[in-house]
Amino acid sequence: MSEESNAVLETPRCYVRPFTSVDIEAFMSYRNDLDWMKYQGFKGFTRQVYETTLLNPQRVEEGSQLAVIRKKDQVLLGDVFLLQKEDDFWIGYTIDPSYKRQGYAYEVVHALIHWIRSKGDYVIKAGVEKENLPSINLLEKSVFRRMEEEDDEFVYVWNGG
């Protein structure tokens, strides 16, 4: 069975699937880069913590971290986070700095929106640190609008109709 057959969703250049043990080293490389991860949680942990969290079954109702894999060479590009809370779907995304500013996050965010909308009429939200301008720009480009401030973050809601 190919890794791609486990995909939750696909984009033209990548797919999103559950993590495998092969992904952990690359995941640790960018997640433990504390300068790169300054606006993110779930960072700076040991291999054991990451394996326990990522390799065990996850439910979107409790928060689910998924791998973003480039199709052409099976490289881990980053990860996404999904959390369903009643009528809300929260999304998060992280790209390895080696692959930043190549459109992968934008591509995956749009695939996430499409996937969530196929599941029902959910409000799609994303939280972003106030200083994280690249993420704010991505959300605004993806038709999210800032709604409120919560726990020192801006909360954005998808407004694409």
Side-chain angles (χ1 to χ4, degrees):
M1 180 185 290
S2 75
E3 295 292 323
E4 202 164 339
S5 66
N6 292 329
V8 174
L9 59 93
E10 278 189 64
T11 75
R13 298 182 295 162
C14 49
Y15 58 93
V16 176
R17 62 152 169 77
F19 276 90
T20 67
S21 57
V22 173
D23 304 320
I24 300 299
E25 197 66 39
F27 182 84
M28 286 180 63
S29 175
Y30 68 85
R31 279 286 170 165
N32 288 347
D33 177 344
L34 299 184
D35 287 333
W36 178 247
M37 296 298 295
K38 64 185 168 191
Y39 300 122
Q40 298 281 15
F42 195 49
K43 62 186 173 196
F45 294 112
T46 64
R47 179 181 204 95
Q48 182 177 356
V49 169
Y50 289 134
E51 286 177 342
T52 299
T53 303
L54 299 173
L55 301 181
N56 287 312
Q58 300 179 51
R59 297 183 49 224
V60 73
E61 297 83 7
E62 297 167 355
S64 184
Q65 200 95 25
L66 299 165
V68 177
I69 305 295
R70 186 165 53 191
K71 287 179 180 179
K72 73 177 182 180
D73 56 9
Q74 306 303 300
V75 166
L76 178 72
L77 298 172
D79 60 271
V80 295
F81 179 77
L82 293 168
L83 174 62
Q84 180 186 350
K85 283 185 166 182
E86 298 171 8
D87 293 334
D88 295 341
F89 241 107
W90 288 85
I91 65 169
Y93 44 85
T94 304
I95 296 294
D96 182 313
S98 304
Y99 307 106
K100 69 181 181 184
R101 305 201 51 80
Q102 296 176 37
Y104 290 114
Y106 181 79
E107 200 172 298
V108 169
V109 164
H110 280 264
L112 287 173
I113 291 167
H114 180 75
W115 182 82
I116 292 166
R117 289 180 48 85
S118 77
K119 301 291 179 200
D121 190 22
Y122 293 98
V123 176
I124 304 171
K125 296 181 175 182
V128 62
E129 294 281 336
K130 297 175 190 175
E131 298 82 26
N132 190 348
L133 296 180
S135 189
I136 289 170
N137 291 336
L138 171 66
L139 291 171
E140 290 177 351
K141 182 179 175 184
S142 301
V143 199
F144 281 77
R145 70 184 189 295
R146 189 167 81 203
M147 295 302 293
E148 60 191 4
E149 197 174 312
E150 186 176 294
D151 300 325
D152 291 329
E153 283 190 332
F154 292 136
V155 174
Y156 278 77
V157 175
W158 185 70
N159 193 35

